[in-house]
Amino acid sequence: MTPMLAVLSAGPGVTVQDAGRRGWSRWGVTGCGAMDPAAFHLANRALGNEAGAAAIEVATSGLEITVEGGALDVAIVGGDFDIRLDGRRLTATVGLRLEPGGRLAIRAGVSGAWCYLAVAGTIDVPAVLGSRATHIRSGLGGLGGRGLGAGDRLAISGARRVIETVSAIDAGVLEADGGPIRVVLGPQADHFTDDQIAAFLEREWRLSPRSDRMAYALEGPPLGHARGHDIVSDAVAHGAIQVPGSGLPFVLMADRQPTGGYPKIATVIGADLGRMAQIRPGGTVRFRAVTSDEAVAARRTLADRLTRPVRSTPMVRGELSTADLIGRDLVSGVVDAHSDDGR
Amino acid sequence: MVPLRFLDSGETMLVVEFGSTIDVMLNERVLALDAALAGAALPGVIETTPTFRSLAVHYEPLVLDRARLVDHILELERLAEVTERPARTWTFPCCYTLPHGEDLAEVAARLALTPERLVELHTGRALRVHMYGFSPGFAYLGGLAPELAASRRAHPRAPHPSDAVMIAGGMSAVAPLPMPTGWWVIGRTPEKVFAPVRDPAFLVAVGDDIRFEAIDAGTFEALAARVAAGEVVARVEAKR
């Protein structure tokens, strides 16, 4: 029987996302997709899903689900969220089997702004313009082009059993080094004086509460423009940092409009988009300029790490089992149930 | 011709800039390179975004090296002269009267035009789709009569209905999805520039022209019913 994922409660901004809607920017269509592409990718890999399979992106507003009609294997990867299965606290990056009637609650934890609930199967919402990603502003994709809410049901077709026991997923590849977010200067760095670029890189910026999937608004002393704050609209990359007339930068995120008319002082490199996305409103950020070559090298390093087998460790009564349990590849199906040793 | 500028936005988007102004010839060069790049089908190119005066190339740098991409573009640009591309002229029905032309009287007064003269000027020229942006199917239309160069509103108005026809800042636009806007809503077309489940989802390509044809509110209702049933009511012919 096809399991049905049932939403018991969902805060604002919890949506179905995939790797994004590609190929339609020339028609004004927003790319969307996961805010933290690496975490999203790892969640799918932990279940042996195809890269880019649709998952549920959970905001700090939280999500509680159950499943009807059959068990469902899921993986959760992303920020340090508070995950509870039938009230039992689990680790933040975890694979588990949700049995019918079981309750899985995902709430904001210590840090992080987004996490991904991937399912071993296909979230059965129609692809719109080739993608299941939700874009709420234009009402496209996902479940009726909107965020999830209590009472929503998502059919999961082709559900597979891949998880033997509740297991902590090793998300070490996502671990932040805590350093500044790396940017490549431009494409309109020439609209700013050298001292304003230096100020942009030296300042500690605070993330405004007005931040959302479209843009992260930064607060701090405003930057000045050398050549006015309007340009003829051109295309906007994920991670581009535009500076409008207010002088306060916006980091343009997954739901950005495909074009814009303000100068972009710098662009967050692909390898750091996830770290940028995981900063919460009120949190602070610094930027460091790197070359395009360094950005490509960082991209390659992350891509290589993300292709390694996903390792996981069975959990015992909600605690991580001891280190003598060797991490295993969840997908290989060789994980033993190590839950009876009473430790 | 002004030489190309290559501007990086991170490691995955290269902007090929032809100039810094809104100009038909620059836009033609953008579209010629866009067509040439599409024809070359380079592995690693994900998509391109043509705008008024630049072409953004979204690419995967682990597949396609930036230096190689630039070489390809320079070679394609050398070969891709500004030649005739297949372009079309669309005739879009548009109702300028109430309840559709919500802001027409106000903006006509600002422009010191009668509403009739405004409609005459707006329907009198073929308008070119310079680019899409802002929201799906939001078409920026150039070639507007200079008399219609109303400045934008100081504050955005309430969301307009779907398929609004608008003017502001010396341009016209068709806006398929209801949004708050700083533009002036002068009419509404019963045609769907964008319909996500129709094939094609988008009717009018960048570089095509749109000519508006005034219809009354009764005709709007009749045509809207046909569009709702899946018909395309805009007429199309080859340009020139």
Side-chain angles (χ1 to χ4, degrees):
Chain A
M1 199 172 165
T2 301
M4 192 75 79
L5 188 156
V7 178
L8 300 172
S9 69
V14 177
T15 57
V16 175
Q17 293 297 337
D18 63 13
R21 193 165 275 114
R22 303 284 168 252
W24 299 91
S25 68
R26 62 194 302 105
W27 304 102
V29 178
T30 284
C32 314
M35 287 286 279
D36 183 341
F40 161 79
H41 187 75
L42 191 62
N44 271 323
R45 273 187 56 80
L47 298 171
N49 286 345
E50 271 179 46
I56 297 175
E57 182 179 87
V58 185
T60 50
S61 60
L63 172 72
E64 189 167 358
I65 61 165
T66 186
V67 66
E68 298 165 357
L72 181 64
D73 287 0
V74 304
I76 301 165
V77 177
D80 194 358
F81 277 61
D82 178 325
I83 316 289
R84 287 167 200 263
L85 178 61
D86 296 323
R88 184 173 71 135
R89 176 89 188 256
L90 304 177
T91 185
T93 52
V94 66
L96 60 95
R97 174 163 301 153
L98 186 58
E99 298 287 352
R103 292 167 82 95
L104 176 63
I106 305 174
R107 295 195 177 83
V110 177
S111 64
W114 310 97
C115 72
Y116 296 87
L117 175 81
V119 302
T122 302
I123 298 178
D124 216 354
V125 294
V128 177
L129 302 177
S131 162
R132 294 180 168 83
T134 310
H135 187 232
I136 292 177
R137 267 186 186 74
S138 56
L140 293 181
L143 188 67
R146 60 178 175 79
L148 299 183
D152 284 339
R153 283 176 163 68
L154 295 167
I156 309 299
S157 59
R160 291 170 291 111
R161 301 207 147 201
V162 296
I163 290 186
E164 300 298 326
T165 185
V166 176
S167 300
I169 295 166
D170 178 2
V173 296
L174 305 177
E175 247 151 49
D177 60 11
I181 297 289
R182 291 166 290 182
V183 298
V184 175
L185 292 177
Q188 278 93 31
D190 60 348
H191 279 245
F192 302 87
T193 58
D194 288 348
D195 66 311
Q196 289 302 293
I197 291 170
F200 167 72
L201 295 170
E202 279 160 16
R203 274 173 200 164
E204 184 174 72
W205 299 93
R206 184 170 299 277
L207 216 66
S208 157
R210 292 178 299 134
S211 301
D212 59 15
R213 275 186 51 89
M214 190 174 181
Y216 279 13
L218 304 182
E219 294 172 340
L223 298 173
H225 296 80
R227 298 164 51 191
H229 55 75
D230 283 317
I231 61 169
V232 173
S233 277
D234 73 349
V236 173
H238 189 173
I241 302 173
Q242 74 176 19
V243 184
S246 68
L248 294 180
F250 287 83
V251 187
L252 300 173
M253 304 299 280
D255 276 3
R256 73 205 176 279
Q257 292 167 349
T259 58
Y262 296 113
K264 278 82 73 182
I265 191 169
T267 307
V268 175
I269 70 169
D272 283 358
L273 284 174
R275 282 174 57 208
M276 184 73 222
Q278 293 292 359
I279 301 170
R280 285 190 194 173
T284 57
V285 58
R286 283 177 187 275
F287 299 102
R288 180 165 71 86
V290 298
T291 64
S292 291
D293 286 345
E294 287 171 305
V296 173
R299 184 181 192 82
R300 180 169 288 117
T301 301
L302 179 62
D304 288 347
R305 296 175 83 187
L306 283 172
T307 58
R308 289 181 198 157
V310 181
R311 300 177 81 79
S312 66
T313 312
M315 292 180 70
V316 182
R317 291 187 183 165
E319 300 299 324
L320 276 178
S321 53
T322 50
D324 61 343
L325 290 174
I326 303 161
R328 322 264 173 125
D329 184 350
L330 257 185
V331 182
S332 69
V334 296
V335 178
D336 297 324
H338 260 273
S339 55
D340 60 352
D341 59 0
R343 247 185 286 235
Chain B
M1 287 199 295
V2 181
L4 302 185
R5 289 178 78 203
F6 291 97
L7 305 174
D8 291 290
S9 192
E11 80 281 16
T12 63
M13 189 177 107
L14 182 69
V15 180
V16 187
E17 194 173 277
F18 291 83
S20 57
T21 56
I22 297 175
D23 174 295
V24 172
M25 285 315 292
L26 290 180
N27 193 238
E28 279 293 330
R29 289 182 67 193
V30 170
L31 298 182
L33 177 61
D34 185 44
L37 255 178
L42 299 178
V45 171
I46 295 162
E47 65 178 300
T48 54
T49 316
T51 71
F52 293 114
R53 42 69 184 234
S54 68
L55 183 71
V57 183
H58 302 263
Y59 68 106
E60 174 48 68
L62 301 185
V63 175
L64 177 60
D65 181 69
R66 181 192 188 275
R68 275 189 50 226
L69 176 59
V70 168
D71 287 346
H72 277 296
I73 288 169
L74 289 171
E75 178 68 10
L76 290 169
E77 169 61 10
R78 204 170 55 76
L79 302 173
E81 303 192 353
V82 180
T83 49
E84 298 280 314
R85 284 171 304 96
R88 299 164 297 179
T89 300
W90 296 81
T91 302
F92 267 62
C94 179
C95 182
Y96 293 91
T97 58
L98 292 173
H100 304 300
E102 293 176 13
D103 305 335
L104 187 125
E106 189 182 347
V107 71
R110 280 173 175 257
L111 293 168
L113 298 170
T114 63
E116 294 74 21
R117 180 62 184 152
L118 188 154
V119 172
E120 201 174 277
L121 288 165
H122 194 255
T123 54
R125 294 186 180 202
L127 305 178
R128 174 192 172 89
V129 178
H130 276 292
M131 64 177 274
Y132 286 89
F134 186 64
S135 67
F138 188 107
Y140 290 89
L141 307 175
L144 194 66
E147 295 95 320
L148 296 180
S151 51
R152 279 166 152 269
R153 292 165 171 278
H155 302 286
R157 47 154 283 159
H160 57 73
S162 62
D163 308 305
V165 175
M166 316 190 294
I167 57 172
M171 303 201 85
S172 188
V174 186
L177 302 180
M179 298 263 177
T181 185
W183 296 58
W184 304 90
V185 176
I186 61 167
R188 189 180 181 197
T189 174
E191 185 54 271
K192 296 280 179 201
V193 176
F194 168 50
V197 294
R198 180 184 62 199
D199 185 18
F202 297 91
L203 287 181
V204 186
V206 178
D208 284 0
D209 283 350
I210 295 179
R211 189 183 282 278
F212 290 100
E213 184 176 72
I215 56 171
D216 60 30
T219 307
F220 179 95
E221 294 306 323
L223 291 175
R226 285 164 58 189
V227 170
E231 197 180 328
V232 171
V233 299
R235 302 191 305 278
V236 63
E237 59 193 295
K239 205 174 188 173
R240 284 175 277 262

